[in-house]
């Protein structure tokens, strides 16, 4: 250690050497300076604190005499090992840290938020990283455009049009690190707090972000087709946040009739908008891909949100907004003060990943991987009597509803006994709700062999 920051009060009645002594003593007792930590030399500490060397010498001599520090010839001063207080403090600190990180261990975790990291395209990513960094392009390490690199935005716009039927220009695309950041940015674009309606149950993190930003939040119960438009109208909300292609967590796919009703609701006022979260739309195992709601919008009412977190990896942190023309003007007025939160290097890599066909090949591979796991899970669950399965054929999770009166809490407890973690549906409701009879099983992070073994155990405990 060459520096030790100490706030010295030059006008105090206490001598400077005493202030230095008290600070170092307190740090040692609190564990801030651990056993055998080397202290700065008296000369260096005096220079750093801009005091005389004799002042530091006096402080060190007092610490030496009391046994808080020890001197090693030709090496310097070190913190002594203290019995009693120091060990007690260190032990308490260690126990507190252990308690914080302690987490129950399960043999199998059916997390609906899991991804298969073993299938990450390491070779393609390394190749693209080398290509991006091989040129000595100094500008790459400067701040780029607030909305993101034009190359990436153009690539995303083309990809969304081809794969999701989204109609947009590159200038309408805004890149950001995660959906939560984009929602905060969208708040700045709106310029004021709004009344926002979300489906119930829903993606609670988005709800919490929007609520913490001061918006008035409404929850609209769902029917078989999605958000109930009549209840939406009655709520007085200005913005509807929906997941029409694969609702999370119920897995509902919004039919065309309900989509048109929702667009008609948005057309009812110039202040109304729809936020379309195209969650898990990449993974569909039966039937044709369902176009995004944005593609049906002819009046600039839909704000489209997408991400590469599930299709590539969560750590990539590349998500995007597609803004309608009116809100694009608001973004240019109020949103461009926020710099892009995704590094330009990562943006270039993702752009190359899309442009050179790696993304399409990776998606095809992951669809096959997840479909196999989906089919294995579905096949095994169908052998369990007294349950109803829903939300299948898309996404990376499905729902199991118990028809025999078993609650989600009972189902989770039985699964826990077998070393398996499943998730109750009630945790996704915004307002307090009585315990449901439904649990959620995600399968992205479990291989086929693990799914078979886990379902075999669930058969035993859930038949009880």
């Amino acid at each position: 250690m060459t520096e030790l920051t100490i706030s010295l009060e030059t006008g105090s009645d206490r001598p400077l050497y005493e202030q230095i002594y008290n600070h170092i003593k307190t740090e040692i007792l609190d564990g801030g300076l651990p056993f055998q930590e080397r202290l700065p030399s008296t000369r260096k500490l005096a220079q750093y604190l801009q005091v005389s060397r004799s002042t530091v010498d006096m402080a060190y001599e007092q610490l030496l005499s009391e046994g808080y520090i020890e001197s090693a010839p030709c090496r310097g001063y070190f913190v002594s090992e203290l019995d009693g207080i120091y060990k007690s403090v260190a032990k308490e600190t260690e126990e507190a840290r252990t308690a914080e990180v302690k987490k129950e261990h399960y043999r199998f975790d059916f997390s609906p938020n899991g991804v298969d990291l073993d299938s990450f395209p390491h070779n393609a990513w390394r190749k693209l990283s080398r290509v991006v960094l091989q040129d000595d392009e100094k500008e790459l390490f400067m701040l780029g455009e607030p909305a993101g690199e034009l190359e990436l935005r153009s690539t995303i716009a083309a990809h969304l049009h081809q794969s999701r039927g989204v109609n947009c220009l590159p200038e309408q695309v805004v890149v950001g690190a995660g959906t939560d950041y984009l929602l905060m940015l969208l708040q700045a674009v709106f310029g004021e707090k709004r009344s926002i309606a979300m489906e119930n149950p829903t993606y609670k993190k988005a709800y919490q972000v929007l609520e913490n930003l001061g918006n008035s939040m409404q929850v609209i119960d769902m029917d078989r087709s999605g958000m109930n438009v009549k209840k939406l109208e009655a709520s007085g909300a200005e913005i509807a946040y929906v997941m029409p292609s694969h609702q999370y967590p119920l897995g509902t796919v919004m039919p065309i009739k309900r989509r048109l009703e929702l667009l008609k609701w948005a057309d009812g006022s110039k202040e109304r908008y729809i936020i379309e979260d195209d969650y898990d739309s990449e993974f569909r195992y039966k039937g044709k891909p369902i176009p995004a709601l944005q593609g049906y919008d002819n009046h600039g009412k839909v704000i489209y949100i997408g991400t590469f977190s599930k299709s590539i990896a969560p750590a990539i942190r590349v998500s995007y907004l597609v803004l309608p023309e009116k809100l694009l003007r608001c973004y240019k007025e109020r949103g461009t003060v926020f710099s892009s939160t995704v590094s330009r290097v990562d943006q270039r890599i993702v752009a190359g990943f899309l442009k050179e066909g790696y993304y399409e090949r990776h998606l095809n591979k992951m669809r096959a991987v997840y479909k196999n796991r989906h089919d294995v899970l579905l096949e095994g669950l169908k052998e369990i009597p007294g349950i109803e399965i829903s939300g299948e054929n898309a996404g990376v999770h499905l729902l199991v509803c118990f028809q025999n009166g078993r609650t989600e809490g009972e189902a989770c407890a039985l699964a826990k006994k077998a070393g398996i973690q499943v998730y109750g549906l009630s945790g996704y409701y915004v307002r307090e709700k009585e315990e449901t009879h439904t649990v959620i099983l995600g399968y992205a992070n479990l291989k086929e062999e693990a799914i078979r073994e886990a379902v075999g155990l669930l058969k035993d405990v859930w038949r009880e």
Side-chain angles (χ1 to χ4, degrees), residues 54-100:
S54 61
T55 299
V56 178
D57 283 334
M58 290 176 65
Y60 275 26
E61 285 171 9
Q62 186 65 31
L63 291 165
L64 272 168
S65 65
E66 295 183 16
Y68 289 105
I69 65 174
E70 55 192 35
S71 175
C74 302
R75 293 182 59 213
Y77 295 95
F78 296 85
V79 175
S80 300
E81 182 176 11
L82 303 181
D83 292 327
I85 296 176
Y86 174 75
K87 286 188 174 179
S88 174
V89 171
K91 184 178 179 182
E92 289 174 5
T93 303
E94 185 63 30
E95 287 176 351
R97 288 175 181 169
T98 302
E100 285 178 7

Side-chain angles (χ1 to χ4, degrees), residues 111-344:
S111 171
N113 299 315
V115 296
D116 180 18
L117 296 179
D118 290 337
S119 298
F120 182 79
H122 291 282
N123 291 335
W125 208 261
R126 275 192 292 266
K127 178 183 175 182
L128 290 166
S129 299
R130 286 194 297 268
V131 170
V132 169
L133 294 172
Q134 70 183 1
D135 295 329
D136 295 332
E137 188 179 347
K138 295 179 181 178
E139 186 185 341
L140 186 61
F141 297 95
M142 300 292 289
L143 282 176
E145 293 185 46
E149 297 291 284
L150 179 58
E151 179 187 17
L152 177 58
R153 291 186 287 132
S154 299
T155 307
I156 289 174
H159 164 72
L160 290 178
H161 182 69
Q162 294 166 9
S163 65
R164 304 295 302 126
V166 172
N167 300 313
C168 66
L169 298 172
E171 65 178 12
Q172 292 175 256
V173 178
V174 180
V175 175
T179 301
D180 43 2
Y181 165 76
L182 292 176
L183 291 177
M184 290 189 285
L185 180 62
L186 195 55
Q187 183 76 43
V189 172
F190 286 138
E192 58 185 359
K193 298 168 184 176
R194 296 294 185 98
S195 177
I196 303 176
M198 292 189 72
E199 301 156 324
N200 200 30
T202 192
Y203 175 40
K204 287 185 74 172
K205 186 177 181 182
Y207 180 95
Q208 291 163 350
V209 169
L210 292 168
E211 184 179 45
N212 289 341
L213 291 171
N215 296 293
S216 173
M217 303 301 295
Q218 317 291 328
V219 286
I220 310 297
D221 291 333
M222 295 178 60
D223 56 29
R224 291 183 178 180
S225 298
M227 181 179 280
N228 187 307
V229 178
K230 288 183 179 179
K231 291 183 178 180
L232 172 62
E233 183 78 50
S235 73
E238 302 166 287
I239 298 170
Y241 187 113
V242 295
M243 293 170 273
S245 295
H246 187 247
Q247 202 273 344
Y248 184 80
L250 295 183
T252 304
V253 176
M254 187 180 289
I256 184 64
K257 182 180 179 182
R258 180 59 56 85
R259 294 177 184 229
L260 295 177
E261 289 174 354
L262 203 54
L263 288 171
K264 184 177 180 181
W265 167 84
D267 286 338
S269 169
K270 65 179 183 178
E271 300 301 322
R272 290 178 179 174
Y273 287 96
I274 300 167
I275 299 175
E276 178 183 12
D277 187 342
D278 207 16
Y279 180 82
D280 264 358
S281 62
E282 302 92 349
F283 303 114
R284 186 167 180 80
Y285 317 122
K286 186 177 180 180
K288 296 180 180 179
I290 299 173
L293 175 64
Q294 196 267 4
Y296 297 100
D297 177 26
N298 297 317
H299 299 96
K301 288 294 184 177
V302 177
I303 304 158
Y304 181 92
I305 294 182
T307 181
F308 294 112
S309 292
K310 270 292 182 74
S311 55
I312 302 179
I316 299 303
R317 304 299 293 161
V318 177
S319 301
Y320 44 86
L321 277 175
V322 177
L323 295 171
E325 290 289 344
K326 179 182 176 181
L327 290 182
L328 180 60
R329 292 193 292 271
C330 296
Y331 169 75
K332 290 177 178 177
E333 292 172 4
R334 294 189 285 262
T336 53
V337 297
F338 299 95
S339 300
S340 177
T341 49
V342 183
S343 81
R344 298 181 72 186

Side-chain angles (χ1 to χ4, degrees), residues 18-59:
E18 186 178 329
Q19 294 182 43
I20 296 171
Y21 155 80
N22 283 327
H23 177 89
I24 296 176
K25 175 184 173 182
T26 302
E27 283 291 295
I28 291 173
L29 291 175
D30 289 346
L33 289 173
F35 168 51
Q36 290 189 336
E37 178 74 20
R38 184 176 181 176
L39 297 177
S41 68
T42 56
R43 179 180 58 82
K44 288 184 177 179
L45 185 58
Q47 288 178 343
Y48 183 67
L49 297 178
Q50 295 185 346
V51 297
S52 69
R53 187 171 178 178
S54 61
T55 299
V56 178
D57 283 334
M58 290 176 65

